[in-house]
Amino acid sequence: NTLIGGHVIVYHTPTVRQHIEGVELYSMGQHGNIGRYPIHFHMSDDCDGSIVCKNLVRKSNQRCYVAHGTHNVTLEENVAFDTLYIAT
């Protein structure tokens, strides 16, 4: 299936600072599979100090940047292009 791509998930990591910068994610995400987004912070609570910046999600199969049950993640200067559904 061409609409099933890889996905990056940060899962339950409130005490670990994440830094995702300068990455191109092409044809990522999984169409029809909830929670399988190109960049997804899932139930990580307070992620103060984590940053997602200057990334490109292109031709996404499902959304782009998602923070679910997560707070204080900085998202800045990211681009979403040619995506299915909503971008964030």
Side-chain angles (χ1 to χ4, degrees):
N1 185 338
T2 60
L3 296 178
I4 301 294
H7 61 99
V8 175
I9 186 165
V10 177
Y11 188 70
H12 295 278
T13 55
T15 61
V16 180
R17 288 185 180 167
Q18 308 294 329
H19 188 123
I20 304 170
E21 181 175 357
V23 177
E24 178 182 1
L25 297 114
Y26 178 81
S27 194
M28 297 282 282
Q30 298 182 0
H31 177 74
N33 292 329
I34 300 288
R36 301 300 185 252
Y37 314 118
I39 296 181
H40 181 194
F41 280 74
H42 182 78
M43 305 304 285
S44 291
D45 198 29
D46 186 357
C47 285
D48 190 39
S50 291
I51 186 165
V52 178
C53 69
K54 300 178 183 171
N55 300 292
L56 168 62
V57 174
R58 187 164 57 100
K59 199 172 167 96
S60 170
N61 300 315
Q62 175 154 263
R63 296 182 172 84
C64 292
Y65 308 95
V66 176
H68 173 235
T70 302
H71 315 283
N72 297 318
V73 174
T74 299
L75 286 95
E76 63 184 19
E77 298 182 45
N78 295 292
V79 175
F81 179 76
D82 193 17
T83 68
L84 288 178
Y85 305 112
I86 58 174
T88 56

